Structure formats: structure tokens, C-alpha cells
Amino acid sequence: QHTHNVILSTLVKVHLQHLDSFDSKARKYEGSVVLLAIDTEVKGDGASDDGFVCGCICVGIKDVRLDGKIRKLGYLFDMRVHEDYQRRTIGSQLYKSAESATRDLGAEAIYLSVNSTNKKARSFYERYGYVISSHRALLFTPLLFSGLFGHRAAAAIRSITSQEMAQLFDSMEGSDLSLAGGLTQLFSSCPEKFKNAWVLEAKGPDEESSSLAALTLWDGDGTSSIKIERLLLTPATWKSPLTQVSLLLAGCWVLWLWGLSVWRSPLTVWSALSGACLLFAAVAGTLASAFVRFVTTRRRERARMIAPMAKGPRGIELLRGLVAHAKVTAKRQGFGVAIGNLDILDPRLPAFSSGKRPTSGQTLFMLKWLCSDAPKVCDFSCDNFFDPRDMS
């Protein structure tokens, strides 16, 4: 299946391709709500025997820690209305029905993820009482250059099993959104997505001066994939070594013409500046084409770094080493990008990004309480747990 939305269709053509039935993600949770809006008057042309599916909404139900207690929460996702059926209150009707069904299943709250720039979606959910609970930093790292100049893993990095990681993680004090069943529950719900787990320790003379870090790597491709049909050129064209050679030769030819023009006339500030611009364009074009070729030849798309742990005076330093090791490992396993997703105030964020801590997030978690005795606190703890099923 493909979505009907096309991005800059004249130059760039990208589709969201579903790899399984639309409700396959919902089945990974302990419970779920899946609702469809069907136009029964439409027959044929992609419609089923019941009619044309013009909208859907899904909510995964799970028991998590929130505000110091284990609570049943719903995670809302995949709320969609076909573009030909929008502005007919279908989205509102789907949402109201899903919220009612989620409440009937005993959920105390619903939360969801939305892009911070999607003002239309944010306004929709705010109208139904949702508030921002976490500003998320989406740490997106292309793996083209990971390990390019060699990678020496710290000798103390130790691979551990999923059971060992679960015991280690679950022994820590639980943060908001951490599963009631711990990491063991996550490993059992989607074992095929788990790839690796590591731990790195630095022993001190006593427990307070000792440090530890741990991290897991997951296959983040999930139930959907980005299908690239054209990025200026088709993926098959980008994959061809002839394309790379042609771009390199074209850049060299342009630089040669510039050098010839400079040799025939006195060197001026403008000619020097134009030459620098040409050199930059040639290098940038070569790097861009290499990146596109790298992405389009990967066996997998997204690796996710989940359940980071860091404690002790050197915890962040150790975790930074594990993050670098995870990226190189993901590249070797055929992934194109590595992704981390943390609250912008998470103390572990510096281990994932060497830049300045962001002041706003690219994505947002929004929450709505459904119970009558709802706590006043709506913000998730800054070290809240990121469930990979939510973004699969």
C-alpha cells in the first residue's frame, strides 16, 4: 500500500509504504483500539466489499509508570483521513469514538506524538484537552561517515543478552512511561526487533565513584518504510558507480574551466570568490550524491538506540562511547541512519549530541487525562522511557 501524498512530485517522489496490515502495530501492545471509517456507497476502485476505507485511528493500551504509579495508558497513533474526505468531521468522530473505547478499557490517560511544526494537528488535539508533556529531541544521524576513519571500541565494552539488559535496567528506579513489566515485557512483545545490548563500566575505589553505562540497539523499520521513487534521479541511477564518476568528472571540468579563465586574466577578489564557490559546490555535490547512493543501497533504514543508562561521575562519558559504538554497529548491520529520541532536558542527552542542548523539540508528546481523579501534573519526567513500539 502507498499513501497518496507526494512530496515535490516533480523532483522528489517519496511514499510511505506499509509492510504489513495497518493494524499490525496495534497488535504489539497488550490491548488496542482500532477503528475504521468506511464509505459504504463506494464500490470498486480500491474499495473492499464493505466499501472504501476513508479513515482510521489506532490506540495501543499498556501499563506504564506515570506520576509515581503504575497506570493503564493509551498511545494514540495512525489517525488518518483520506484527503478527499477531510473537513467532514470524520476525524473528530473517529477520535471521540476511540477515546470512549479507550476509557472503557480502563485507560486513565492517552498520549500521542506530533511534530512540533504541525500546527494543524496540535490545534486539533489541544481542542480536545491535550497538553504538551515532553519536548523531544530527535537525534537523527546518517551513518555514511560512521567508522569511516576506523573505530576502536573501548576494550571494556561488553555485549550482554536481552535478559541481562532487562535485569540491569529494571533494577534502576523506574521513570515515567517505563513499562510495568520492565524491559522483559518489551523484549517478549517484539523480540525480532532487538539487535544488540552493551554495558561499559569504570570501577572506582567505592560504589559512589564507580560509573556504568548501558544501551540497546533496535531495528526501527517497524511496520512502514519510506519508499523512494525519485530524488532528482531514480534510486537505480544513484546506485550506479557511473553516476558518481560522471558527477566527479563534471565537477572537475567546471573547475578546469574556471582555472583556465583565471589563468587568462588577472586574479581578482571576485574570481577567487567564484572559485571558492565552485569548489564548495563540487565537494557538496559529490558528498550529496554519495549520501543518496548510501541511503538507497542500505538493506535497512532506521536503527533506534533505546533504554540508555548512565550513572556515576563518568556515566555520560561512558554512554557517549556506547552511542558511537552503536552507530558503527548499525552501519555494519546495513542500516542507513541511527535515531535517538530523548526529552530536551534529559541529562543523558549530551551523550548523543555534542552540540548545544536544544531549547525546543522537533516532536512533542501530548497527554490527556481520562480519569476523574487525574493528577495536576502533566509533564513527563525528563528521563522518561521511550517505547520503540510507539514509533515503529
Side-chain angles (χ1 to χ4, degrees):
Q1 300 177 12
H2 294 73
T3 61
H4 295 282
N5 294 324
V6 178
I7 305 174
L8 299 177
S9 57
T10 54
L11 298 176
V12 179
K13 196 170 185 180
V14 178
H15 291 292
L16 180 66
Q17 183 178 38
H18 293 275
L19 306 177
D20 205 340
S21 60
F22 76 94
D23 61 340
S24 59
K25 176 177 173 178
R27 294 198 300 267
K28 294 183 180 296
Y29 296 90
E30 299 85 89
S32 62
V33 173
V34 179
L35 302 176
L36 302 178
I38 300 177
D39 186 346
T40 57
E41 296 182 359
V42 176
K43 302 297 182 182
D45 192 24
S48 66
D49 294 339
D50 296 325
F52 182 75
V53 177
C54 57
C56 68
I57 189 171
C58 302
V59 181
I61 309 295
K62 54 185 177 179
D63 294 321
V64 303
R65 182 178 298 275
L66 183 59
D67 192 37
K69 297 181 180 180
I70 299 298
R71 303 176 184 273
K72 189 179 294 293
L73 258 64
Y75 176 72
L76 189 152
F77 61 95
D78 277 358
M79 180 175 173
R80 306 175 188 176
V81 177
H82 190 280
E83 56 188 357
D84 294 341
Y85 289 81
Q86 293 179 5
R87 300 186 181 278
R88 301 187 189 181
T89 73
I90 293 176
S92 296
Q93 294 179 61
L94 279 170
Y95 172 76
K96 291 177 182 178
S97 298
E99 180 184 304
S100 176
T102 302
R103 183 184 286 107
D104 291 343
L105 290 176
E108 297 181 57
I110 301 179
Y111 77 104
L112 54 89
S113 175
V114 63
N115 290 334
S116 59
T117 56
N118 191 342
K119 295 182 179 180
K120 181 179 178 181
R122 287 177 58 181
S123 176
F124 176 88
Y125 292 119
E126 287 170 353
R127 192 162 66 246
Y128 285 101
Y130 283 81
V131 295
I132 298 173
S133 298
S134 176
H135 294 261
R136 315 296 299 177
L138 186 61
L139 306 163
F140 181 90
T141 306
L143 299 176
L144 175 61
F145 299 112
S146 295
L148 187 63
F149 303 104
H151 170 68
R152 292 183 60 188
I157 291 181
R158 179 167 57 92
S159 295
I160 57 177
T161 65
S162 59
Q163 291 82 2
E164 291 174 311
M165 180 64 188
Q167 291 175 0
L168 183 63
F169 187 86
D170 296 342
S171 66
M172 306 287 287
E173 183 178 352
S175 60
D176 282 350
L177 301 186
S178 57
L179 301 176
L183 275 189
T184 301
Q185 179 181 346
L186 180 61
F187 287 131
S188 62
S189 65
C190 45
E192 74 284 357
K193 294 299 180 182
F194 171 70
K195 306 304 295 182
N196 301 92
W198 305 276
V199 65
L200 182 56
E201 299 178 83
K203 297 291 186 180
D206 52 47
E207 185 175 351
E208 289 187 0
S209 60
S210 297
S211 300
L212 175 145
L215 184 68
T216 65
L217 186 70
W218 293 72
D219 181 349
D221 284 349
T223 57
S224 64
S225 174
I226 302 299
K227 177 68 174 179
I228 300 174
E229 296 188 14
R230 183 169 62 248
L231 288 176
L232 301 182
L233 303 173
T234 64
T237 306
W238 285 114
K239 292 176 184 179
S240 171
L242 181 61
T243 302
Q244 309 298 311
V245 174
S246 300
L247 289 171
L248 181 60
L249 291 178
C252 292
W253 180 72
V254 172
L255 286 175
W256 178 80
L257 290 178
W258 173 84
L260 187 62
S261 66
V262 170
W263 180 72
R264 291 178 176 177
S265 60
L267 182 63
T268 64
V269 174
W270 289 111
S271 59
L273 183 61
S274 63
C277 291
L278 284 173
L279 179 61
F280 174 79
V283 173
T286 302
L287 291 177
S289 61
F291 171 71
V292 173
R293 184 175 187 272
F294 173 80
V295 171
T296 55
T297 55
R298 294 281 88 187
R299 299 191 306 274
R300 301 184 177 109
E301 292 177 6
R302 298 158 287 179
R304 287 194 177 273
M305 295 174 285
I306 302 296
M309 295 178 56
K311 67 176 184 177
R314 296 182 57 197
I316 298 300
E317 174 191 345
L318 299 179
L319 181 57
R320 186 178 292 114
L322 289 182
V323 170
H325 182 67
K327 291 177 181 178
V328 173
T329 302
K331 180 179 179 181
R332 291 172 180 168
Q333 293 179 356
F335 290 100
V337 297
I339 302 174
N341 193 314
L342 287 82
D343 190 288
I344 61 173
L345 299 179
D346 195 314
R348 301 163 298 188
L349 188 61
F352 290 80
S353 175
S354 58
K356 186 177 180 181
R357 184 182 290 271
T359 56
S360 60
Q362 295 100 325
T363 60
L364 306 170
F365 277 166
M366 302 184 72
L367 173 76
K368 177 182 180 179
W369 289 100
L370 302 179
C371 53
S372 56
D373 57 341
K376 294 182 179 180
V377 177
C378 290
D379 290 341
F380 297 150
S381 62
C382 61
D383 63 343
N384 62 75
F385 176 72
F386 179 81
D387 190 339
R389 297 176 301 179
D390 291 353
M391 301 296 170
S392 63

